[in-house]
């Protein structure tokens, strides 16, 4: 029997022992490392750069990776996962997420799309599979901020449940260990939780100090759903289509900067410490080794004080950075229509 070639992989003296990284335990008993590496390269990082970062991040101690079919890089990341496992990391030590894209919500497409991700990622199963957005509205990569798909539709719960039933089948087939939601709102989750056979294990959502979403955060936690936070440091590398003049910058906030200076760390480290201590799982993205190593170290080093946490709780500016306007279904709508701000699902 061939032994794993650990020489390509371990140890890396700069890294963190994965056993030191805290985990969040799901009701199923599964354990998710509290920080993951995001793999959305925006519009300025190549798929190969991301795949290389995945491999190196694993060398440094990462075991949680957040992928998606729409990122267009899973076929490259799969080679990294194969090297990671050939290098001595057992599959059950990894937590790997992927997502169902908007143009695959049809009942006949869900299972096939998941199998495609599995093949690309060179895996037998996913730890978590998410419905990426609740809208079946496609937009081309790199589209303009005002792009409007003439076939776009509103959220229709009956249709979403048809998609969800196929997600549940993936669990029954053993292709996926857990299923979850992303970019949801409380009114949509209320309907979903009423009708599911298999409850969402996680909800992925935008979370950072300037966008804390306290009501939605409390809702998912109260319902036993783990919040996974994207853009945890304010998404400095987000696409141009997601930038507006009103956007604020978390890592320049005086409170964040003051705490960072006291701890002698980068402000991004403060954002990640806050996220983990609050109870969400951040998935920051970077292909810069110094940055993704620093992000990992942030969750195993000195925690923020109670006072720090209280001060950060006060700087929420309700500043959504990933507005999703390319998913709108009517002319003249603004991005707010996607997020049910009045507590009701925006009608068709």
């Amino acid at each position: 029997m061939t032994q794993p070639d650990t020489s390509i992989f371990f140890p890396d003296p700069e890294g963190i022992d994965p056993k030191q990284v805290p985990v969040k335990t799901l009701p199923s008993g599964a354990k998710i490392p509290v920080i993951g590496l995001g793999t959305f390269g925006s519009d300025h990082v190549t798929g190969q750069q991301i795949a290389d970062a995945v491999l190196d991040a694993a060398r440094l101690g990462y075991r949680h990776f957040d992928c998606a079919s729409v990122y267009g890089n899973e076929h490259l990341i799969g080679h990294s996962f194969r090297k990671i496992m050939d290098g001595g990391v057992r599959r059950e030590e990894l937590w790997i997420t992927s997502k169902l894209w908007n143009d695959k919500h049809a009942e006949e497409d869900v299972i096939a799309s998941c199998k495609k991700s599995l093949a690309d990622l060179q895996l037998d199963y996913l730890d978590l599979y998410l419905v990426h957005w609740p809208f079946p509205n496609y937009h081309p990569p790199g589209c303009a901020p005002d792009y409007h798909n003439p076939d776009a539709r509103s959220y229709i719960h009956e249709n979403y449940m048809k998609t969800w039933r196929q997600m549940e089948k993936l669990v029954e087939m053993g292709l996926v260990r857990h299923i979850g939601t992303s970019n949801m709102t409380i009114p949509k989750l209320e309907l979903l939780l009423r009708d599911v056979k298999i409850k969402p294990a996680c909800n992925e959502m935008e979370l950072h100090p300037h966008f804390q979403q306290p009501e939605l955060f409390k809702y998912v936690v109260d319902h036993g759903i783990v919040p996974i936070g994207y853009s945890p440091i304010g998404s400095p590398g987000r696409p141009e289509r997601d930038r507006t003049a009103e956007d604020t910058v978390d890592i320049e906030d005086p409170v964040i900067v003051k705490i960072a200076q006291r701890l002698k760390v980068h402000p991004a480290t403060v954002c990640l410490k806050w996220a983990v201590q609050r109870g969400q799982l951040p998935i920051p993205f970077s292909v810069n080794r110094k940055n993704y190593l620093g992000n990992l170290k942030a969750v195993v080093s000195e925690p923020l004080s109670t006072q720090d946490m209280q001060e950060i709780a006060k700087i929420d500016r309700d500043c959504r950075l990933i507005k999703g306007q390319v998913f709108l279904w009517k002319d003249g709508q603004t991005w707010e229509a996607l997020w049910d701000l009045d507590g009701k699902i925006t009608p068709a």
Side-chain angles (χ1 to χ4, degrees), residues 32 41 121 128 144 197 216 222 233 252 257 291 335:
I32 318 178
L121 294 170
L128 178 63
K197 296 175 184 174
L216 179 57
D222 286 350
I233 60 173
E252 294 177 3
V257 171
N291 290 348
W335 61 265

Side-chain angles (χ1 to χ4, degrees), residues 9 65 75-76 85 102 157 199 205 243 267 338 342:
F9 210 80
F65 300 93
H75 64 295
L76 299 170
M85 290 182 282
N102 303 3
H157 182 64
K199 182 177 164 182
M205 51 202 277
R243 298 175 185 269
L338 299 167
D342 62 355

Side-chain angles (χ1 to χ4, degrees), residues 69-223:
S69 60
V70 74
Y71 300 163
N73 53 27
E74 290 190 326
H75 64 295
L76 299 170
I77 292 172
H79 293 295
S80 297
F81 286 153
R82 177 47 47 201
K83 290 177 182 177
I84 291 166
M85 290 182 282
D86 287 348
V89 177
R90 292 175 296 122
R91 172 64 185 91
E92 55 267 31
E93 296 175 37
L94 299 171
W95 182 278
I96 299 173
T97 296
S98 187
K99 309 180 191 78
L100 179 76
W101 187 236
N102 303 3
D103 60 349
K104 301 297 182 183
H105 281 211
E107 291 176 276
E108 64 272 17
D109 291 335
V110 176
I111 293 172
S113 184
C114 180
K115 287 182 175 179
K116 175 69 163 55
S117 283
L118 286 169
D120 285 345
L121 294 170
Q122 301 191 36
L123 302 172
D124 294 326
Y125 68 89
L126 290 166
D127 297 280
L128 178 63
Y129 197 48
L130 306 175
V131 181
H132 205 148
W133 286 81
F135 307 98
N137 301 341
Y138 173 80
H139 69 83
C143 67
D146 59 353
Y147 173 80
H148 178 73
N149 186 329
D151 297 322
R153 288 171 285 163
S154 63
Y155 176 83
I156 300 171
H157 182 64
E158 292 75 12
N159 292 345
Y160 189 87
M161 284 309 304
K162 291 177 183 178
T163 303
W164 192 259
R165 293 293 180 231
Q166 298 302 308
M167 297 286 285
E168 292 172 330
K169 281 187 182 179
L170 289 169
V171 178
E172 294 163 0
M173 295 168 68
L175 297 178
V176 170
R177 297 287 173 87
H178 306 85
I179 52 178
T181 53
S182 182
N183 296 300
M184 289 287 267
T185 62
I186 291 175
K188 295 183 180 81
L189 282 170
E190 284 178 336
L191 292 179
L192 179 63
L193 291 175
R194 181 194 69 189
D195 295 339
V196 296
K197 296 175 184 174
I198 300 177
K199 182 177 164 182
C202 302
N203 181 65
E204 194 162 301
M205 51 202 277
E206 181 179 337
L207 290 170
H208 45 91
H210 281 183
F211 192 60
Q212 300 184 22
Q213 298 212 71
E215 290 184 16
L216 179 57
F217 180 86
K218 183 177 187 303
Y219 182 88
V220 298
V221 171
D222 286 350
H223 286 81

Side-chain angles (χ1 to χ4, degrees), residues 258-277:
K258 179 189 70 171
I259 296 170
Q261 289 174 341
R262 191 192 81 237
L263 296 178
K264 297 182 173 56
V265 297
H266 192 279
T269 295
V270 176
C271 295
L272 295 174
K273 287 178 181 292
W274 168 81
V276 171
Q277 288 176 233

Side-chain angles (χ1 to χ4, degrees), residues 296-308:
L296 186 63
K297 289 182 174 180
V299 305
V300 298
S301 55
E302 178 187 355
L304 301 180
S305 68
T306 300
Q307 182 178 343
D308 292 336

